[in-house]
Amino acid sequence: MKKLILLFFSFLYLALPAQQLINNKGNRNQSYPVVTETNPEIVNLINQVSQDSIESHIRYMQGFIRNGESPAALIVQNWLVDHFESYGYEDISIHYFNYNSQQLDAGNVVVVKKGTEFPDEYIIISSHYDSWGDPGADDNASGTAGVLECARLLKDFPTKRSIIFVPFGAHELCVCNGSISFAQKCATENMNIIALFLMDMIGWFPPENPNTIMASGYSSISKALFEYYQQTANTYIPSIPTIRFSFGDMQSDNFPFNKYEYPALYIGDIEYLDLHPCYHRDCDTLGDGVNRLDLAEAFVQAVLAATAELANAWLPPQNLSACSGIGKITVSWDSSGESNSYKVYRNNTFLEEVIENFYVDYNVKLGEKYEYYVVDLSSAPSNKDEITFVAPLQLPYSNDFSVSKYGFEQSDWVLRYAGRSTLCNTGGSAYFSDNYLSIAELDWFPIPNNAENISIRFRWRGVINGYLNTVYYYCPIPIHNAGMWFEVTTDRKTWHKLAYISGKDSGWEAYNFSLNDYKGSDFFQARFRLESNGSQDRTFTKIIYITDVEVGYDLGVEDTKEKLSYISSFYFTPNPASSHINIVTNQPEPYHISIYDMTGRVIFAQDGFIDGVLYMSHLRSGHYLLVASTKQHRVARKLVIH
């Protein structure tokens, strides 16, 4: 796929079927070791990379037009199996998948080297072995030759973690068909993939450019992996610097893994792809399509070094998260099994050294934002987690966003009227120079054990569309590289995916989810995550409106438009206030008014209130929650008193 401008029906701009919603853990918060010195054993390993072997493999594969549906693809698949067997691998399988509702004869070649200590932690080295309809020496016999060379040299190299070698099939059929199917398999099995290195086009460089570089791209999910890879590559191969693509991410067989929140890098020097004279042409052969075997060798060395270091590394603490509580923030992380103490940092300031894998911070203030991370004896930091300390929401909670965004922590979401008041994230159609990520988090609350039929619901309308969301005329499956996930968590480590939203909806669509599975949670949080994978030459349209967010008991799943609008005009002025406010609900019957402080205590209550003035001169300055309720409904708004 890469930067090829594919033909499509631009007028087929409809709401697309949701991608397969797999509730896998992913590893978007994976943290990596810091590599500043070379390991002599790894230096010896990468010095064994053979240009002759790489050239020989490319020469064989370029003799076949390896279209994914062709007999030639099956021939090359079997040839790959023979090579892996000749290296001594026994755990070899073919992962088959469908195209046009038919299983292809040639599939993904999957080879597993089991780790000795952490066999369920996986590093993947991959490529695609099919071609567009040309000899495909650079695209992508070169990357596949690199996978073979890595497998040959790593066979007898001891590793604590498992390594999977996967030349994918049918990349050029329907945009990464083979890797999409394999990524779905990995996510369904909730595999712990800590890194994927994809080699795709590693053998061409502009002859007129005197400064050879190796390039890679990453999505927001893979930023930490890129930083690790770049540092390792520059440590072991300093003569050819590794840089990031100037245009951001590159969408290839790394892209499906990013969609399931696995860190995955595109590795290949297509920084100058527009200058490549043989890309997807008959001249993509050794000499014209592959003109720099020394560059291909360097790419293989970089992937080898990064894999060998990571496969045996002492990883820094993983999955750090910070959760609010009553008067405290609890920071926790996964024990590494190799550390006996951890240094805790808040806003880059050292707090304390602890022996447990958690820390409770009582020195926090409401409304303040804090960022935490820890460091163990590996000297590499964990992932960071940023949190604004807030008091728990009081249930039932509802917000139609006619007055404020109370209850939501967000960066670039605003209030906007779109037929009704909404929480809005909009930018229109634009070219983004990097991947887009925006999160709106609902404030936390506990769910008691005795909760009955608790649920959460909201409405949305808008447009979420990415380059690959368009339906291609020859492509039988929808591909999504831009969308919004509605997710919930009880620990801020694992976010459970409840809905995926993409495409276009001109009307209001209602979503309702039971939270009964989360009863007894001391901490519960929900969020909207809007994310795209792409680069500046990919159009990403986002116009999202969210309204009528409500959490409560016995909400039901019926259309709730009338019920939600029953008291949804609730507002008061002024805000901030001093001695009094004027409350308006347009509610014809008397209702109940309550005021809560930020610890959740009721400090004022009045039954039988009718729209009008409420005097509050007895209240101190601060932040409060004003609640209007009837037997049918309850609406909360934030109140500030000066």
Side-chain angles (χ1 to χ4, degrees), residues 404-567:
S404 72
K405 296 179 286 185
Y406 171 70
F408 273 88
E409 172 74 12
Q410 68 288 311
S411 54
D412 50 358
W413 295 65
V414 299
L415 293 182
R416 182 164 297 181
Y417 188 78
R420 61 198 306 172
S421 299
T422 68
L423 181 66
C424 174
N425 187 307
T426 179
S429 179
Y431 290 98
F432 288 80
S433 60
D434 205 341
N435 302 277
Y436 184 81
L437 173 65
S438 180
I439 294 174
E441 289 186 348
L442 184 66
D443 288 348
W444 73 282
F445 54 88
I447 302 179
N449 274 314
N450 60 356
E452 293 292 337
N453 299 322
I454 184 169
S455 60
I456 186 169
R457 62 188 178 188
F458 62 90
R459 293 175 182 270
W460 101 282
R461 61 171 287 194
V463 178
I464 308 174
N465 192 61
Y467 175 74
L468 296 179
N469 289 77
T470 311
V471 180
Y472 296 101
Y473 72 93
Y474 66 87
C475 186
I477 61 175
I479 311 296
H480 307 287
N481 78 326
M484 182 170 67
W485 285 259
F486 179 66
E487 304 169 315
V488 299
T489 185
T490 58
D491 59 8
R492 289 176 59 87
K493 289 181 171 63
T494 301
W495 290 86
H496 305 283
K497 304 172 182 68
L498 300 188
Y500 174 83
I501 300 170
S502 188
K504 180 178 181 180
D505 197 327
S506 56
W508 289 101
E509 185 171 352
Y511 288 80
N512 189 304
F513 301 96
S514 170
L515 302 182
N516 288 336
D517 289 344
Y518 304 98
K519 288 194 298 185
S521 301
D522 293 330
F523 178 95
F524 179 88
Q525 194 171 36
R527 74 180 183 184
F528 298 99
R529 172 171 59 90
L530 177 64
E531 189 163 12
S532 72
N533 295 66
S535 55
Q536 64 185 7
D537 65 338
R538 307 293 194 230
T539 302
F540 172 42
T541 307
K542 59 180 183 71
I543 308 174
I544 300 97
Y545 305 106
I546 301 291
T547 193
D548 297 340
V549 177
E550 187 166 6
V551 187
Y553 306 96
D554 294 314
L555 294 180
V557 295
E558 75 281 357
D559 188 312
T560 56
K561 182 176 180 180
E562 293 301 320
K563 182 177 176 183
L564 286 173
S565 62
Y566 186 56
I567 198 171

Side-chain angles (χ1 to χ4, degrees), residues 155-206:
K155 171 60 180 65
D156 296 319
F157 186 82
T159 60
K160 297 178 181 179
R161 297 178 176 85
S162 296
I163 301 173
I164 301 178
F165 307 94
V166 191
F168 296 117
H171 164 93
E172 306 289 5
L173 286 180
C174 187
V175 192
C176 310
N177 203 337
S179 56
I180 288 172
S181 179
F182 189 73
Q184 288 176 345
K185 176 182 183 296
C186 294
T188 300
E189 297 173 3
N190 210 9
M191 290 177 61
N192 186 9
I193 299 171
I194 64 176
L196 180 142
F197 301 112
L198 169 74
M199 286 184 281
D200 191 354
M201 301 181 66
I202 63 173
W204 186 86
F205 200 79

Side-chain angles (χ1 to χ4, degrees), residues 252-414:
S252 184
D253 293 302
N254 59 312
F255 157 63
F257 291 87
N258 291 156
K259 296 303 294 180
Y260 293 108
E261 299 188 84
Y262 288 127
L265 293 185
Y266 185 109
I267 295 170
D269 218 333
I270 54 173
E271 176 76 3
Y272 307 101
L273 182 63
D274 291 340
L275 302 176
H276 199 312
C278 297
Y279 174 59
H280 283 187
R281 296 178 181 171
D282 291 342
C283 63
D284 188 5
T285 57
L286 282 163
D288 294 322
V290 174
N291 66 351
R292 290 286 299 274
L293 285 171
D294 63 323
L295 180 62
E297 176 188 15
F299 270 119
V300 175
Q301 289 176 325
V303 171
L304 265 177
T307 301
E309 284 278 3
L310 189 56
N312 290 311
W314 178 344
L315 292 183
Q318 302 292 318
N319 295 317
L320 177 139
S321 70
C323 295
S324 291
I326 303 299
K328 64 183 180 181
I329 292 177
T330 300
V331 186
S332 64
W333 54 92
D334 295 348
S335 297
S336 65
E338 298 177 282
S339 295
N340 54 19
S341 67
Y342 305 90
K343 294 180 179 179
V344 183
Y345 290 82
R346 184 183 73 184
N347 297 344
N348 290 320
T349 300
F350 172 71
L351 293 180
E352 189 174 333
E353 187 167 355
V354 299
I355 59 174
E356 302 88 358
N357 64 328
F358 67 91
Y359 175 80
V360 182
D361 188 1
Y362 293 100
N363 186 24
V364 290
K365 296 180 180 180
L366 287 171
E368 294 292 320
K369 185 172 290 187
Y370 302 101
E371 183 182 68
Y372 296 90
Y373 66 92
V374 298
V375 176
D376 68 0
L377 296 179
S378 69
S379 299
S382 69
N383 62 291
K384 298 179 179 181
D385 194 18
E386 186 178 76
I387 185 172
T388 299
F389 179 57
V390 295
L393 290 176
Q394 300 299 310
L395 300 187
Y397 165 86
S398 65
N399 199 337
D400 65 356
F401 305 107
S402 59
V403 176
S404 72
K405 296 179 286 185
Y406 171 70
F408 273 88
E409 172 74 12
Q410 68 288 311
S411 54
D412 50 358
W413 295 65
V414 299

Side-chain angles (χ1 to χ4, degrees), residues 33-313:
V34 175
V35 178
T36 57
E37 298 179 355
T38 59
N39 180 328
E41 293 180 352
I42 296 177
V43 171
N44 178 59
L45 183 75
I46 67 175
N47 285 341
Q48 297 178 57
V49 174
S50 168
Q51 286 190 34
D52 290 341
S53 292
I54 295 171
E55 179 180 12
S56 174
H57 298 328
I58 295 173
R59 190 173 301 280
Y60 176 84
M61 284 183 278
Q62 75 175 15
F64 299 88
I65 307 300
R66 308 177 303 281
N67 178 278
E69 294 180 290
S70 69
L74 181 60
I75 292 172
V76 174
Q77 172 206 275
N78 293 335
W79 174 81
L80 290 168
V81 171
D82 289 342
H83 270 73
F84 287 119
E85 288 179 341
S86 72
Y87 301 150
Y89 290 98
E90 298 179 354
D91 191 347
I92 304 173
S93 62
I94 305 299
H95 172 244
Y96 293 102
F97 51 88
N98 291 347
Y99 176 70
N100 277 334
S101 301
Q102 297 291 324
Q103 180 177 291
L104 293 177
D105 292 333
N108 301 319
V109 181
V110 183
V111 182
V112 181
K113 170 186 168 63
K114 275 291 182 183
T116 57
E117 293 186 29
F118 311 110
D120 294 328
E121 296 180 8
Y122 296 95
I123 303 165
I124 297 179
I125 301 177
S126 63
S127 68
H128 72 87
Y129 67 86
D130 63 315
S131 64
W132 175 258
D134 53 78
D138 194 30
D139 188 17
N140 183 35
S142 64
T144 304
V147 173
L148 287 172
E149 190 67 352
C150 287
R152 179 179 73 86
L153 294 172
L154 286 169
K155 171 60 180 65
D156 296 319
F157 186 82
T159 60
K160 297 178 181 179
R161 297 178 176 85
S162 296
I163 301 173
I164 301 178
F165 307 94
V166 191
F168 296 117
H171 164 93
E172 306 289 5
L173 286 180
C174 187
V175 192
C176 310
N177 203 337
S179 56
I180 288 172
S181 179
F182 189 73
Q184 288 176 345
K185 176 182 183 296
C186 294
T188 300
E189 297 173 3
N190 210 9
M191 290 177 61
N192 186 9
I193 299 171
I194 64 176
L196 180 142
F197 301 112
L198 169 74
M199 286 184 281
D200 191 354
M201 301 181 66
I202 63 173
W204 186 86
F205 200 79
E208 65 276 12
N209 192 327
N211 301 314
T212 305
I213 52 94
M214 293 188 288
S216 175
Y218 63 82
S219 68
S220 56
I221 293 167
S222 305
K223 183 175 185 292
L225 177 60
F226 170 79
E227 291 171 349
Y228 160 76
Y229 170 76
Q230 181 184 45
Q231 183 183 51
T232 305
N234 286 334
T235 299
Y236 279 90
I237 306 99
S239 59
I240 304 180
T242 289
I243 67 165
R244 186 189 181 190
F245 292 133
S246 61
F247 44 83
D249 190 19
M250 182 49 61
Q251 295 178 359
S252 184
D253 293 302
N254 59 312
F255 157 63
F257 291 87
N258 291 156
K259 296 303 294 180
Y260 293 108
E261 299 188 84
Y262 288 127
L265 293 185
Y266 185 109
I267 295 170
D269 218 333
I270 54 173
E271 176 76 3
Y272 307 101
L273 182 63
D274 291 340
L275 302 176
H276 199 312
C278 297
Y279 174 59
H280 283 187
R281 296 178 181 171
D282 291 342
C283 63
D284 188 5
T285 57
L286 282 163
D288 294 322
V290 174
N291 66 351
R292 290 286 299 274
L293 285 171
D294 63 323
L295 180 62
E297 176 188 15
F299 270 119
V300 175
Q301 289 176 325
V303 171
L304 265 177
T307 301
E309 284 278 3
L310 189 56
N312 290 311

